[in-house]
């Protein structure tokens, strides 16, 4: 904990001159440290994270439901389960290599927001599967039996009962996974996120395909770029960007704690 | 809705669930496929010397310079850097993790535990690039200042500072896993120890910890595999020079650091440099897989009381 505070303090002191300036958030990266900002970085982070959350929920929640409710002790379920445990222990940079080899070159998605979203989504997948399973497990058997006794089908059971009761736990898992993925730099570096982007991707409501195909940069990569420069002034920028990241993570984590607390109080079995 | 339509919908729904679950297997296959295919291409690439020679050079040469004109492809400098930093991390993490875990599960009151746990969770979520910044611009200058008293000059890039930071970084992860396995030790063992007149401290370290040793070992193995695969801290603070050394004061390069270095440049698809990061990544994948499987093995051996 002392360590955490010293990290935060160091970032805050180093980046103080930047953090409170509005210009830092509204300007593009630049060759001149005083004028450089994180506009394209935080917009890129936003788009990439929306994509990642979309993919992670689309694949993770149904997988969790299947494994917990319908997979039983079958062979298939056991294989998938072992597989997910293994996936969660694969280093994140290996996901980056996967994305570079498969998405960028073999499927030709390019070094785009789409690729980045998919990659981070896969990275978040194990966390969300585990969270889904754990919150489903907390629902008592009686609910399921009562629902079947009234003649409901499997999907009715899931959509009318299981999902509403477990949504808090699932959301908590999603938020925790998001706070991890926001800080992930390595896999995005390998797929070739650019560090110098002086334009914004087109807005998704105007040109969805164009946005998905657009090159991007994200906060941690912008920070990495600034750290690895020799000039002192860029280090200040890096510190400020790092502080923004740290605050983002803190906010997401507290949100997940709040949700967990609320859910705990909402349902009593 | 008619019963028939409902039945059909149900089948569609179940198929959807199964397909999404299978996607995780697909991901694993994709990882293995991409890694193996490009690793094979790396070894048959003419610039590496063709198939049997390149494999031989991979394990016998002592320099790693696939990006230079004279290409040397000995993996040892990268492995040495990777393991050097991981061992420094473990030297920091093993005693501290054990102390934190024992304190939290044996000594801390419920109130203290509830107050500390969220912070440990949060430490785990801190972006690694932030730790990298901290290692380069706070820990390294501090170490340089300390070492100057002993008359030792340390380079700005070194293995020691990212190793220490990495050790602290995996601390919350290992500590919470060790704590879980310590908590699995049944209460009667503690009570038996107290009955024999042992103090609380002695009970904790001579009865509880040995009883949980399989679980603790498994936690640390997972911690090691995390430290091996960690990227940003070492890419920022350890340097970019593949160096076959065990001196922690020198700059080293890890497998992950090398991948970042090459990926930052422009990569022509299927060039020798491009393929080399897949070969290095495959090594990393195998090593972490080995440690993970070892951890799974020790977990399965956890004593049931």
């Amino acid at each position: 904990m002392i360590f955490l505070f010293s990290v935060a303090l160091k970032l805050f002191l180093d980046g103080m001159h930047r953090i409170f300036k509005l210009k830092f958030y509204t300007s593009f990266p630049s060759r001149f440290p005083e004028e450089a900002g994180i506009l394209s970085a935080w917009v890129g982070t936003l788009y990439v994270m929306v994509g990642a959350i979309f993919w992670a929920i689309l694949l993770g929640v149904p997988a969790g439901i299947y494994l917990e409710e319908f997979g039983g002790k079958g062979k298939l379920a056991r294989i998938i389960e072992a597989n997910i445990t293994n996936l969660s222990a694969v280093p994140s940079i290996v996901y980056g290599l996967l994305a570079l080899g498969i998405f960028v070159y073999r499927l030709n998605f390019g070094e785009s927001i789409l690729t980045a979203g998919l990659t981070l989504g896969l990275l978040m997948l194990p966390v969300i599967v585990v969270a889904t399973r754990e919150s489903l497990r907390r629902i008592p058997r009686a609910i399921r039996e009562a629902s079947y006794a009234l003649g409901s089908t499997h999907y009715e059971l899931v959509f009318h009962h299981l999902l509403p009761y477990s949504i808090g736990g699932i959301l908590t898992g999603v938020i925790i996974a998001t706070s991890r993925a926001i800080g992930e730099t390595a896999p995005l570096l390998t797929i070739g996120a650019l560090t110098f982007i002086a334009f914004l991707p087109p807005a998704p409501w105007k040109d969805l395909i164009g946005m998905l195909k657009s090159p991007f940069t994200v906060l941690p990569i912008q920070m990495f770029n600034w750290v690895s420069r020799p000039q002192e002034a860029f280090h200040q920028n890096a510190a400020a960007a790092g502080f923004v990241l740290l605050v983002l993570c803190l906010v997401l984590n507290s949100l997940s704690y709040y949700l967990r607390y609320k859910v705990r109080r909402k349902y009593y079995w | 809705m008619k019963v028939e339509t409902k039945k059909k919908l149900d089948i569609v729904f179940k198929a959807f669930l199964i397909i999404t679950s299978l996607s995780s297997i697909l991901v694993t296959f994709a990882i293995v496929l991409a890694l193996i295919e490009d690793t094979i291409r790396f070894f048959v690439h003419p610039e590496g010397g063709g198939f049997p020679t390149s494999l031989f050079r991979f394990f016998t040469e002592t320099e790693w310079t696939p990006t230079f004109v004279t290409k040397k492809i000995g993996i040892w400098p990268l492995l040495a850097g990777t393991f050097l930093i991981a061992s420094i991390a473990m030297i920091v993490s093993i005693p501290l993790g054990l102390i934190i875990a024992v304190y939290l599960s044996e000594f801390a009151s419920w109130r203290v535990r509830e107050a500390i746990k969220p912070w440990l969770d949060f430490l785990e979520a801190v972006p690694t690039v932030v730790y990298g910044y901290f290692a380069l611009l706070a820990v390294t200058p501090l170490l340089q200042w300390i070492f100057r008293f002993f008359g030792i000059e340390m380079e700005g890039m070194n293995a020691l500072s990212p190793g220490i930071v990495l050790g602290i970084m995996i601390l919350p992860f290992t500590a919470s896993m060790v704590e879980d396995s310590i908590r699995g030790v049944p209460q009667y063992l503690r009570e038996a120890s107290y009955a024999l007149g042992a103090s609380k401290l002695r009970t904790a370290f001579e009865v509880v910890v040995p009883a949980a040793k399989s679980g603790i070992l498994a936690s640390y193995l997972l911690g090691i595999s995390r430290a091996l695969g960690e990227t940003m801290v070492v890419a920022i603070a350890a340097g970019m020079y593949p160096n076959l050394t065990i001196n922690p004061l020198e700059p080293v390069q890890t497998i992950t650091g090398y991948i970042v270095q090459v990926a930052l440049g422009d990569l022509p698809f299927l060039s020798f440099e491009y393929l080399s990061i897949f070969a290095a990544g495959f090594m990393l994948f195998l090593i972490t897989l080995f440690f993970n499987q070892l951890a799974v093995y020790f977990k399965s051996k956890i004593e049931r009381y």
Side-chain angles (χ1 to χ4, degrees):
Chain A
M1 239 165 101
I2 292 168
F3 185 75
L4 177 68
F5 281 124
S6 62
V7 169
L9 200 68
K10 166 88 178 148
L11 284 174
F12 185 71
L13 291 179
D14 285 357
M16 207 157 61
H17 306 293
R18 298 276 186 278
I19 291 168
F20 295 114
K21 281 198 187 129
L22 194 64
K23 225 178 116 200
F24 184 63
Y25 302 96
T26 56
S27 45
F28 292 109
S30 154
R31 273 186 300 126
F32 308 104
E34 290 78 26
E35 288 169 17
I38 54 172
L39 178 63
S40 54
W42 70 257
V43 173
T45 295
L46 191 71
Y47 284 154
V48 169
M49 287 326 293
V50 169
I53 292 171
F54 170 76
W55 289 110
I57 290 181
L58 180 73
L59 297 176
V61 173
I65 293 174
Y66 174 74
L67 287 179
E68 192 60 34
E69 299 295 322
F70 307 116
K73 289 189 167 58
K75 211 171 188 178
L76 183 66
R78 258 207 320 240
I79 294 174
I80 294 173
E81 209 180 327
N83 193 22
I84 285 173
T85 330
N86 268 331
L87 271 186
S88 64
V90 171
S92 63
I93 195 156
V94 172
Y95 280 93
L97 290 178
L98 151 90
L100 180 67
I102 304 282
F103 297 143
V104 176
Y105 288 117
R106 288 191 177 75
L107 296 179
N108 259 325
F109 289 166
E111 293 154 354
S112 59
I113 290 183
L114 174 66
T115 312
L118 259 173
T119 314
L120 288 188
L122 294 182
L123 204 63
M124 289 162 67
L125 190 65
V127 182
I128 290 181
V129 172
V130 170
T132 307
R133 295 191 61 173
E134 270 172 10
S135 47
L136 283 176
R137 205 170 301 154
R138 242 174 279 135
I139 301 172
R141 250 212 103 64
I143 300 272
R144 297 179 179 93
E145 277 158 9
S147 173
Y148 285 137
L150 292 173
S152 74
T153 57
H154 292 306
Y155 71 89
E156 280 171 333
L157 168 68
V158 168
F159 285 118
H160 296 178
H161 298 284
L162 299 185
L163 274 185
Y165 303 153
S166 62
I167 195 76
I170 295 174
L171 269 183
T172 310
V174 170
I175 292 171
I176 287 179
T178 311
S179 83
R180 301 253 165 95
I182 268 189
E184 274 302 342
T185 328
L188 298 183
L189 267 178
T190 54
I191 64 174
L194 301 173
T195 42
F196 192 86
I197 297 251
F199 57 89
L200 289 181
W205 51 89
K206 278 185 199 143
D207 182 8
L208 185 64
I209 308 289
M211 183 213 95
L212 287 177
K213 287 243 154 208
S214 156
F216 66 100
T217 185
V218 291
L219 271 173
I221 287 181
Q222 191 66 58
M223 181 182 171
F224 173 66
N225 179 255
W226 280 333
V227 172
S228 45
R229 291 186 190 208
Q231 298 97 320
E232 190 77 20
F234 276 115
H235 289 166
Q236 290 184 6
N237 282 1
F243 192 76
V244 173
L245 262 179
L246 208 60
V247 170
L248 259 178
C249 281
L250 184 61
V251 168
L252 284 174
N253 260 44
S254 346
L255 194 66
S256 79
Y257 263 90
Y258 172 74
L259 261 178
R260 205 178 294 170
Y261 174 72
K262 254 195 109 173
V263 171
R264 218 186 269 168
R265 301 197 30 186
K266 196 166 165 196
Y267 293 113
Y268 285 107
W269 312 113
Chain B
M1 224 189 287
K2 275 192 195 158
V3 177
E4 283 76 26
T5 25
K6 276 193 171 184
K7 271 185 180 166
K8 273 179 201 152
L9 260 178
D10 209 35
I11 292 170
V12 173
F13 176 67
K14 270 197 150 181
F16 171 69
L17 290 188
I18 292 180
I19 288 168
T20 52
S21 316
L22 287 177
S23 69
S24 79
I25 292 192
L26 202 69
V27 173
T28 314
F29 270 120
I31 290 180
V32 175
L33 183 95
L35 286 177
I36 288 185
E37 201 186 336
D38 285 340
T39 305
I40 292 173
R41 284 206 185 123
F42 173 76
F43 282 118
V44 296
H45 200 282
E47 288 186 65
F51 168 57
T53 344
S54 61
L55 199 63
F56 184 68
R57 286 176 66 193
F58 195 65
F59 288 111
T60 53
E61 279 180 354
T62 53
E63 276 177 74
W64 174 262
T65 56
T67 47
F68 294 178
V69 183
T70 45
K71 299 188 187 311
K72 297 264 178 73
I73 49 166
I75 190 72
W76 295 112
L78 291 188
L79 283 184
T82 307
F83 277 102
L84 175 63
I85 288 183
S87 12
I88 297 171
M90 290 325 280
I91 291 172
V92 174
S93 186
I94 287 178
L96 278 179
L98 195 62
I99 291 169
I100 291 177
V102 167
Y103 172 73
L104 280 183
S105 69
E106 303 291 310
F107 294 94
S109 65
W110 180 84
R111 198 181 277 271
V112 173
R113 195 157 48 224
E114 288 296 300
I116 288 181
K117 273 237 145 177
W119 288 101
L120 280 181
D121 279 353
F122 174 51
L123 256 180
E124 215 177 324
V126 172
T128 56
V129 63
V130 170
Y131 282 115
Y133 175 88
F134 192 70
L136 180 66
L137 294 171
V139 176
T140 301
L142 183 72
L143 288 174
Q144 276 173 329
W145 183 73
I146 292 172
F147 275 110
R148 206 157 290 146
F149 281 112
F150 301 103
I152 306 170
E153 279 299 317
M154 199 171 79
E155 300 194 44
M157 299 285 187
N158 59 75
L160 189 59
S161 123
I164 293 173
V165 172
L166 210 54
I168 295 170
M169 200 187 99
I170 57 174
L171 204 54
F173 174 74
T174 48
S176 68
M177 294 213 3
V178 171
E179 196 212 333
D180 281 344
S181 50
I182 285 181
R183 203 170 289 180
V185 174
Q187 195 59 31
Y188 65 75
L189 279 182
R190 295 188 185 95
E191 278 155 9
S193 171
Y194 294 146
L196 290 172
S199 66
K200 211 165 177 186
L201 196 69
R202 202 162 165 195
T203 306
F205 280 101
E206 289 182 23
V207 175
V208 179
V209 170
K213 62 176 182 296
S214 293
I216 293 176
L217 204 59
S219 322
Y220 282 128
L221 284 169
L222 287 178
I224 291 176
S225 98
R226 277 219 165 173
L228 290 171
E230 180 25 57
T231 313
M232 294 323 291
V233 178
V234 294
I236 291 174
M240 288 284 172
Y241 176 62
N243 191 353
L244 186 57
T245 179
I246 50 163
N247 180 359
L249 302 183
E250 282 180 29
V252 296
Q253 188 169 43
T254 63
I255 293 178
T256 50
Y258 173 73
I259 296 174
V260 166
Q261 184 200 0
V262 173
L264 278 178
D266 222 357
L267 287 177
F269 183 47
L270 296 185
S271 65
F272 193 62
E273 291 82 1
Y274 169 86
L275 293 174
S276 74
I277 64 173
F278 281 87
F282 189 54
M283 281 301 285
L284 179 69
F285 181 68
L286 287 184
I287 295 168
T288 51
L289 197 67
F290 170 73
F291 279 107
N292 290 336
Q293 292 310 316
L294 214 59
V296 170
Y297 169 73
F298 277 112
K299 237 185 216 167
S300 72
K301 278 187 59 171
I302 288 177
E303 296 83 353
R304 305 246 172 264
Y305 293 96

